[in-house]
């Protein structure tokens, strides 16, 4: 049984539809003004004129509400949280999907992704160490880059090698789009917990284009997601959030474990679909896996480069550390610049490859390095003068050289690569693309 | 088609079953020792004698593996990660479930929870402002406390009031168990995404009794959960984690939003079941809701008290801030003591109550306070000499008095309450329970 509407609620309802004809609300009792204000907000009828009308009442509760919701006097209708989602109409043409090709035959990979990939521009970079020609099916809008292009555009670099997983970074350099999504060629589209195909690109772009909340943790995860909001106790002044620069997706089936974990638990598969995206709090470090990420190239592009190359680096993900290093650089940069990093959705389905035990025989260095690398990044503070990703990245390189470089030549080389990358980015990563000769 | 087993793999398989008869492995080639070691680990056959056997080989890879997995020379079989779950046999008798009764008729609440509650000891504290007698069905092992008990045990306190939601804290004081689970009386058991009843107590206790990982974020969430592990790049030295002291559960249906959010989105319901538990990184603050939490009473009990009472505090959750304040105190304490705080599972189903618009008319202070409270806790650092929760809590009280107390009497009163609570906890919160007169 529902209560019939009160005369007051009917009056308020009617008033909302006649706001344009009302010029004074101050004669109304406080609680009626409050109800009317809330109903106006809910109905999306708050515009600058109406806001002024409410401000003019001088009622404390209404003024508090306006302050609490951080409502600014602008012309468009204002709603906290909800509106931000609808403001984000990202064009497909603002996205590049980058694939580092470590396998020559991309037929099944591309065909599995066709429903998604066919809507976007692709950049495929062939691993320079791959001998065979690439096999790529028709029906895609793509540019393929090879060793020849690398030589032509970057020239012979002393410290940066684009072989193996690092070839993708050449694609980052060749993109001119705002957003880059990067995916390994051993992944196929995943299904969510309801059996539906994951909205891979849309989810990454939603992560990047809605605000991040690194300065206070929201226990219901992403407050900008449909059906969620900020929980009680979340300061209103922090609810507008900050721009998000990096979105880290996850993996079903074969997760991104290291070689010892894989070797020890060869049958371990990730079957848990966690339906969440969250902002990694400022100051907290995380291992960013390069398997499935997206980022704002215009903002943090210069901070993603293949700097840390292991002596025994190989063609399996667990034989590399370049992405983990890169992720720590980006996280420190984002924390410093008050930008956000998110982790969670979208998932990709990752197929099995390689023998972890074989990898263990040749590669231990990556696992050991982290013991030194993580405390370094956890305690690193950048000077206030660094206000761009380039500047932050150069400051990080300087600190790497000073604090890590002495103990291990690998770090000294990484620092050199970072400095060189910023130079390369300046010359080749912006402006018109160099013309093919 | 599967490859037939090699002679080598058969030999290794056989060797594992005969480890007790082997006294030297050093004559074997490096890669065979490594394979054998991994197989031994997988088979759970590593004990102290076998470990010594492998250490004696002096093989680099094996020694690295032992170091990386942080394998200690103890007598029980050693496996990284997995074993820790099985070590955690918590007795039901180590758990108290505390309910603050804000409603007199608990019949349907208790009956809904019967399958779970009937296995544990319950402490029910009647809100001193509740006039009617409590109605509690039979079939439970419980102690009920009322105003009389509060007067008898605590006496007349100047700064601590146990009315409303704060009555539960008297239950924390009366418990002598290691773990306390606290639940609001407007919640019923939730079902998971597969339609199964949530393992409410088991999940909280699992959160508390498995390690937390506050010093590096694991992108696959809780690495100690079945089917998960630490991802590539996670430093091995941090994989043993730290003890977890607070487990914050979540809410389906009516989430814990504040009054403005509820008023603005009256139809907003939480329907998303996120199948995850995660450690909140050290240094990051979160809004802890008291609706559904569990904690290690022995370790952080003294830091949970009803210190911050709003002038217009009411009987709806969004009219209180005592739990948010309390959670910030516990988080700062845990960060300082290198203890963990987790958030996520288990969910409870929360029923609707009250009118947010009515609450808005009387209560704005809580929302405004957070603007001052959060930056205070974010920048608070405790002296090294504080090595217990009591000591940390007293240091926090001191800082509250000094830095917040001057601007607002409410904070000064909170500081007084915190100091008084530590005294009360010393007298009534430990040792044998005071005898009823």
């Amino acid at each position: 049984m529902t209560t019939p509407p009160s005369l007051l609620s009917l009056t308020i309802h009617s008033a909302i539809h006649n706001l344009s004809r009302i010029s004074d609300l101050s004669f109304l009792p406080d609680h009626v003004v409050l109800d009317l204000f809330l109903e106006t907000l809910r109905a999306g009828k708050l515009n600058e004129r109406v806001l002024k009308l409410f401000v003019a009442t001088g009622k404390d509760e209404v003024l508090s509400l306006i302050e609490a919701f951080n409502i600014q006097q602008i012309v468009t209708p204002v709603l906290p949280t909800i509106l931000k989602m609808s403001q984000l109409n990202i064009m497909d043409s603002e996205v590049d999907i980058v694939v580092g090709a470590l396998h020559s035959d991309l037929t099944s990979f591309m065909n599995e992704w066709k429903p998604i990939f066919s809507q976007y521009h692709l950049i495929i970079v062939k691993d320079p160490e791959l001998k065979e020609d690439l096999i790529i099916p028709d029906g895609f809008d793509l540019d393929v880059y090879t060793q020849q292009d690398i030589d032509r555009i970057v020239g012979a670099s002393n410290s940066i090698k684009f072989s193996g997983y690092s070839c993708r970074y050449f694609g980052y350099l060749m993109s001119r789009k705002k957003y880059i999504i990067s995916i390994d060629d051993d992944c196929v589209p995943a299904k969510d917990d309801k059996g539906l195909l994951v909205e891979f690109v849309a989810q990454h772009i939603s992560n990047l284009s809605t605000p991040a909340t690194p300065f206070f943790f929201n226990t219901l995860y992403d407050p900008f997601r449909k059906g969620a909001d900020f929980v009680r106790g979340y300061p209103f002044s922090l609810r507008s959030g900050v721009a998000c620069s990096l979105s880290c997706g996850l993996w079903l089936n074969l997760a991104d474990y290291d070689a010892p974990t894989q070797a020890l638990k060869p049958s371990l598969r990730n079957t848990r679909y966690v339906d969440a995206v969250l902002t990694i709090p400022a100051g907290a470090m995380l291992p960013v896996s390069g398997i499935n990420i997206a980022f704002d190239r215009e903002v943090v592009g210069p901070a993603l480069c293949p700097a840390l190359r292991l002596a025994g680096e190989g063609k399996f993900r667990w034989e590399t550390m370049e992405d983990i290093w890169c992720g720590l650089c980006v996280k420190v940069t984002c924390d410093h610049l008050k930008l956000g990093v998110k982790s969670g959705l979208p998932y990709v389905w990752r197929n099995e490859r390689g023998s972890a035990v074989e990898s263990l025989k040749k590669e231990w260095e990556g696992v050991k390095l982290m013991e030194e690398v993580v405390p370094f990044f956890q305690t690193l503070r950048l000077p206030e003068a660094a206000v761009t990703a380039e500047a932050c990245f150069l400051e990080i390189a300087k600190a790497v050289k000073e604090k890590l470089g002495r103990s291990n030549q690998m770090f000294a080389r990484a620092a050199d690569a970072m400095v060189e990358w910023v130079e390369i980015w300046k010359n080749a990563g912006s402006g018109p693309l160099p013309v093919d000769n």
Side-chain angles (χ1 to χ4, degrees), chain A:
Chain A
M1 205 184 72
T2 53
T3 325
S6 67
L7 195 57
L8 179 61
S9 73
L10 290 172
T11 311
I12 286 175
H13 189 73
S14 149
I16 287 182
H17 291 279
N18 292 288
L19 275 172
S20 61
R21 285 186 249 161
I22 300 174
S23 60
D24 186 12
L25 296 168
S26 54
F27 61 91
L28 292 170
D30 287 14
H31 71 102
V32 177
V33 178
L34 182 64
D35 283 359
L36 185 60
F37 185 70
L38 287 166
E39 282 303 327
T40 306
L41 270 176
R42 273 182 213 154
K45 298 275 188 190
L46 191 69
N47 57 32
E48 182 146 38
R49 201 195 72 85
V50 174
L51 185 58
K52 277 185 184 153
L53 202 60
F54 281 106
V55 169
T57 63
K59 310 279 186 195
D60 266 0
E61 290 88 351
V62 170
L63 297 180
S64 295
L65 194 58
I66 290 168
E67 192 193 327
F69 282 146
N70 199 16
I71 293 173
Q72 313 290 331
Q73 301 219 4
I74 49 166
V75 186
T76 47
V78 185
L79 273 184
T81 319
I82 307 169
L83 189 68
K84 286 168 192 127
M85 279 299 284
S86 65
Q87 283 173 334
L88 309 162
N89 283 315
I90 309 298
M91 307 284 285
D92 289 355
S93 60
E94 292 177 70
V95 178
D96 263 338
I97 296 175
V98 173
V99 177
L102 276 74
H103 299 88
S104 57
D105 189 352
L106 296 177
T107 310
S108 77
F109 167 75
M110 298 290 283
N111 284 336
E112 290 257 27
W113 281 103
K114 193 157 193 172
I116 294 165
F117 281 6
S118 56
Q119 300 168 53
Y120 300 92
H121 177 252
L122 276 79
I123 293 178
I124 296 180
V125 186
K126 186 187 170 196
D127 176 4
E129 290 177 7
L130 193 62
K131 302 234 157 38
E132 304 82 13
D133 283 343
L134 290 186
I135 305 172
I136 302 172
D138 289 338
F140 299 92
D141 171 23
L142 52 80
D143 289 315
V144 176
Y145 295 99
T146 65
Q147 173 82 60
Q148 272 191 311
D149 302 291
I150 296 170
D151 291 345
R152 183 170 55 88
I153 287 158
V154 177
S157 162
N158 287 324
S159 24
I160 297 189
K161 299 269 169 292
F162 289 101
S163 60
Y165 281 103
S166 297
C167 68
R168 72 186 60 212
Y169 295 83
F170 185 76
Y172 302 169
L173 204 62
M174 291 297 97
S175 171
R176 290 296 177 275
K177 304 290 175 67
K178 179 165 180 57
Y179 298 114
I180 285 183
I181 298 178
S182 182
I183 175 95
D184 276 12
D185 67 356
D186 56 356
C187 299
V188 296
K191 288 180 176 169
D192 68 16
D193 48 353
K194 287 162 198 75
L196 299 170
L197 203 67
V198 162
E199 293 195 46
F200 178 69
V201 174
Q203 182 68 52
H204 267 310
I205 297 303
S206 163
N207 294 351
L208 289 172
S209 58
T210 52
T213 53
F215 303 117
F216 201 62
F217 188 80
N218 193 50
T219 50
L220 284 185
Y221 312 102
D222 183 358
F224 294 96
R225 230 180 137 190
K226 196 163 178 282
D229 211 312
F230 291 98
V231 303
R232 179 170 57 94
Y234 205 104
F236 273 79
S237 61
L238 295 178
R239 293 191 186 195
S240 44
V242 299
C244 180
S245 297
L246 177 65
S247 162
C248 306
L250 297 175
W251 338 276
L252 288 170
N253 194 35
L254 197 71
D256 191 14
Y257 296 123
D258 49 37
T261 304
Q262 289 284 353
L264 195 60
K265 303 177 175 177
S267 59
L268 184 63
R269 293 294 174 272
N270 188 31
T271 58
R272 186 174 293 124
Y273 184 90
V274 175
D275 188 13
V277 176
L278 54 94
T279 295
I280 307 299
M285 293 292 121
L286 77 160
V288 171
S289 157
I291 289 168
N292 164 21
I293 61 165
F295 57 95
D296 185 328
R297 194 194 62 90
E298 291 175 358
V299 177
V300 293
L304 286 101
C305 88
L308 191 73
R309 177 169 285 269
L310 301 175
E313 181 154 320
K315 305 284 175 183
F316 299 117
R317 251 300 171 213
W318 52 59
E319 297 174 347
T320 64
M321 275 291 164
E322 116 282 333
D323 53 346
I324 304 287
W325 176 272
C326 189
L328 292 167
C329 291
V330 174
K331 185 60 167 63
V332 166
T333 298
C334 285
D335 285 352
H336 179 77
L337 299 177
K338 299 198 191 314
L339 298 168
V341 171
K342 293 182 188 172
S343 181
L345 304 181
Y347 281 88
V348 292
W349 182 273
R350 219 171 143 237
N351 291 314
E352 353 264 289
R353 278 177 57 192
S355 154
V357 175
E358 289 306 310
S359 295
L360 268 184
K361 287 176 195 161
K362 61 177 177 171
E363 209 293 286
W364 271 101
E365 203 163 10
V367 168
K368 289 183 224 159
L369 282 181
M370 293 307 287
E371 303 298 333
E372 216 175 333
V373 166
V374 168
F376 166 77
F377 280 101
Q378 277 172 335
T379 53
L380 183 59
R381 296 293 170 273
L382 305 180
E384 277 187 31
V387 293
T388 61
E390 286 95 320
C392 291
F393 201 57
L394 287 174
E395 289 292 343
I396 298 172
K398 206 167 105 190
V400 168
K401 191 122 200 175
E402 277 167 18
K403 293 188 188 153
L404 294 176
R406 286 174 202 168
S407 71
N408 190 329
Q409 267 305 304
M410 198 174 301
F411 294 128
R413 278 196 300 272
D416 291 342
M418 291 164 74
V419 173
E420 196 177 330
W421 177 259
V422 172
E423 207 49 43
I424 293 174
W425 191 267
K426 240 181 263 172
N427 296 329
S430 55
L433 281 174
V435 187
D436 205 339
N437 295 322

